[in-house]
Amino acid sequence: MNPLLDRLHPYPFERLRELTRDVVPSAAHAAISLGMGEPKHPTPGFIKSALSDALGGLASYPATAGLPALREACAAWIERRYGVTLDAATQLLPVNGTREALFALAQTVVDPTRSTTAQPPVVVCPNPFYQIYEGAALLAGADTAFVNSDPGRNFAADWSDIDDATWARTQLLYVCSPGNPTGAVMPQSEWTRLFELSDRHGFVIASDECYSEIYFRDEAPLGALEAAKALGRSDFRNLVVLTSLSKRSNVPGLRSGFVAGDAALLKRFLLYRTYHGSAMSLPVQAASIAAWGDETHVVENRDLYRSKFAKVTPLLAEVLDVALPDAGFYLWAAVPGGDDVAFARGLLAQYNVAVLPGSLLARTAHGVNPGAGRIRLALVAGVEECLEAARRIVAYTLSLPRIS
Ligand SMILES: Cc1ncc(COP(=O)(O)O)c(C=O)c1O
C-alpha cells in the first residue's frame, strides 16, 4: 500500500459525524442543514436539455483535451468575464469538476526529488481551506505550510506567515479567491506580491476561483488571469486558474470545470490526465458548452443569493459576529464563548440545525487554529429554509449563558 495514504486527514464532515455521534437532534424541529456547500438552486432547464440531447455521445470515447468547441466556449467566457484572451488550443483544458483537477495538479507539478535542502518540497495552502489542497499535497509527497486568514483584515491571508526558507522549498501554492469559507477576494496588490514570490522561488500558483460568480458588491471578483494581465504577464508563467460550473450554474452533479493559464504547464497536465483517464464525457461537454455560453441564468442565480443573504445576514448579525462576505455562499460567523464544536452540537440538539464548526476547516498553524470559534453556514437552500435556520440560530444563541 502507498504509505502516503496514512498521511491523509479525515474529511471535515467525517470528523463532524464523529463529534456529533452522541447528539440527539431535537425531534420538535424539522432538520435543516447549513453544513454542506452543495448548491441547491434548480439546474437551468436548457443545461439539462443540452445534456439529454447529446446522449448519443455515450457511444464514443471522448478525448482528454476535450472538444475544440468546449475549449472555445470556455475561452470566450474568460474573454467576456475577465477581458483576457486565451489560446483555446494550448492555454485551457476541461476538467471533471475542480476537485479532481486541484488534486491532479499537485501530482503533476510536485517533484519530490527536487529539493534545495534535504527536506521534502512544500505546498502552501490557505488556512482555513478546502481540504483537497492538503490531501493533494500529502499524496504528492510534499509537506504543507499554512497561511492563516486574518479576521482583522477581512480574512485576508497573512503571507508573512511563510518564511524565506519555506518559500524556497515551495513548489505549489493554492489560492482560493473568493475564499471558502471566508468569502474574501484577493486584491491586485496581493497578486503582485505572489507573482514576485513565484518568480523568485519558481513555484506554481493554482488559483481556485469556483465561487467567482456569486458576489455581493457591484464589482465582480478579480481573477488571477486578470491580475496577471494587468502586470503584463501575458504568458501566465507558473499560473493556472481553476473554475467550475458547479456553483455558477447549479450543476454540482455534472462535474464540469476547466483549468486555464500557463501553456507549458497545461501540456504536462494533459499528459498526466491522459494516463489518469480524466476525459470529460461528450454529453457533459455539450451541457457545459451550453452553460458557459449563457449569462442570464448566472445573473438570476446571483440575484437569488443576494436577496437571501440580504435577509439572513442582518438577522444573524443581531446575535453573532458576522458580516456580508465579498463573495461565495457562506457566512463565516464567530460564536459567543468561542467553542465552535460545542455551539454546533448544542444547536443540533436543541434546534436540529447542522452547521460546520470552523476549527474542522483549518489546521493549527503559527500558534492558532484560525477556524476556531467560528462556524460556516452554507446558505444554499431556499430562502425560507435559510431564514428558518437563522431564526433558530438566533433563539439558540440567546438561550446561551451570557459571557461578559
Ligand atoms: C473551494 C472549493 N474549491 C473547489 C471545489 C470543488 O468544486 P467542483 O469540483 O464541484 O468544481 C469546492 C466545492 O465545494 C470548493 O469549495
Side-chain angles (χ1 to χ4, degrees):
M1 283 293 167
N2 181 346
L4 296 175
L5 285 165
D6 293 330
R7 301 179 75 197
L8 294 175
H9 294 255
Y11 216 61
F13 292 103
E14 209 178 312
R15 289 182 63 203
L16 183 60
R17 262 194 303 280
E18 206 50 54
L19 289 167
T20 53
R21 195 177 290 285
D22 59 331
V23 175
V24 181
S26 160
H29 300 86
I32 301 182
S33 176
L34 305 182
M36 281 261 278
E38 180 184 46
K40 295 251 184 279
H41 297 170
T43 299
F46 77 91
I47 300 180
K48 292 192 213 170
S49 305
L51 183 74
S52 57
D53 290 351
L55 289 180
L58 292 177
S60 310
Y61 276 120
T64 309
L67 295 169
L70 172 59
R71 298 158 72 115
E72 276 149 27
C74 297
W77 180 77
I78 288 278
E79 174 95 52
R80 286 197 305 279
R81 171 66 171 79
Y82 297 112
V84 169
T85 309
L86 293 177
D87 175 12
T90 59
Q91 292 181 307
L92 206 144
L93 267 185
V95 297
N96 295 308
T98 45
R99 181 182 181 130
E100 65 91 352
L102 286 161
F103 177 81
L105 195 68
Q107 317 316 310
T108 307
V109 164
V110 172
D111 175 1
T113 66
R114 179 174 69 87
S115 183
T116 44
T117 62
Q119 294 162 296
V122 165
V123 172
V124 174
C125 303
N127 196 27
F129 62 103
Y130 181 53
Q131 195 156 315
I132 299 302
Y133 310 152
E134 181 191 57
L138 297 176
L139 281 182
D143 284 348
T144 47
F146 292 103
V147 178
N148 290 348
S149 90
D150 179 355
R153 293 185 300 121
N154 188 31
F155 305 107
D158 201 345
W159 299 110
S160 61
D161 276 348
I162 306 294
D163 58 29
D164 277 347
T166 307
W167 282 126
R169 287 169 57 202
T170 300
Q171 294 187 8
L172 177 63
L173 161 67
Y174 286 109
V175 171
C176 187
S177 176
N180 170 6
T182 65
V185 172
M186 252 186 37
Q188 179 73 47
S189 56
E190 279 187 58
W191 280 114
T192 303
R193 182 168 177 190
L194 290 186
F195 292 142
E196 279 166 15
L197 284 163
S198 162
D199 287 348
R200 195 171 331 140
H201 300 290
F203 60 77
V204 169
I205 302 176
S207 178
D208 178 355
E209 303 183 359
C210 70
Y211 293 95
S212 65
E213 302 317 289
I214 302 166
Y215 52 88
F216 303 99
R217 321 267 177 236
D218 291 339
E219 214 176 308
L222 177 70
L225 296 175
E226 212 178 357
K229 185 187 163 188
L231 298 168
R233 301 171 69 90
S234 51
D235 60 353
F236 308 115
R237 61 185 173 279
N238 276 340
L239 172 68
V240 285
V241 306
L242 301 99
T243 194
S244 169
L245 287 175
S246 300
K247 282 90 174 152
R248 172 188 180 272
S249 299
N250 293 309
V251 285
L254 189 66
R255 312 310 302 129
S256 179
F258 67 87
V259 178
D262 185 331
L265 200 158
L266 290 179
K267 194 171 170 199
R268 305 297 285 169
F269 195 37
L270 174 59
L271 174 67
Y272 174 88
R273 297 179 66 71
T274 306
Y275 279 86
H276 197 80
S278 25
M280 184 187 286
S281 153
L282 288 170
V284 173
Q285 293 196 50
S288 305
I289 292 169
W292 287 117
D294 181 79
E295 256 347 275
T296 308
H297 75 285
V298 183
V299 174
E300 284 167 8
N301 187 38
R302 184 157 55 240
D303 285 347
L304 281 181
Y305 281 112
R306 284 181 168 188
S307 67
K308 184 163 37 180
F309 273 70
K311 289 177 180 141
V312 173
T313 315
L315 209 62
L316 290 171
E318 283 174 23
V319 295
L320 299 176
D321 176 7
V322 66
L324 187 70
D326 294 336
F329 52 46
Y330 303 107
L331 288 175
W332 183 232
V335 298
D339 187 339
D340 49 306
V341 172
F343 189 94
R345 283 171 52 89
L347 182 64
L348 187 64
Q350 290 186 40
Y351 288 96
N352 211 347
V353 175
V355 299
L356 192 57
S359 57
L360 307 188
L361 288 166
R363 299 276 172 257
T364 297
H366 319 289
V368 283
N369 178 326
R374 294 189 174 269
I375 49 169
R376 191 189 76 174
L377 310 172
L379 299 192
V380 286
V383 65
E384 284 315 320
E385 196 171 318
C386 289
L387 276 171
E388 172 59 20
R391 285 189 282 266
R392 293 190 206 168
I393 293 172
V394 170
Y396 171 66
T397 309
L398 292 175
S399 77
L400 295 173
R402 293 249 170 262
I403 294 142
S404 50

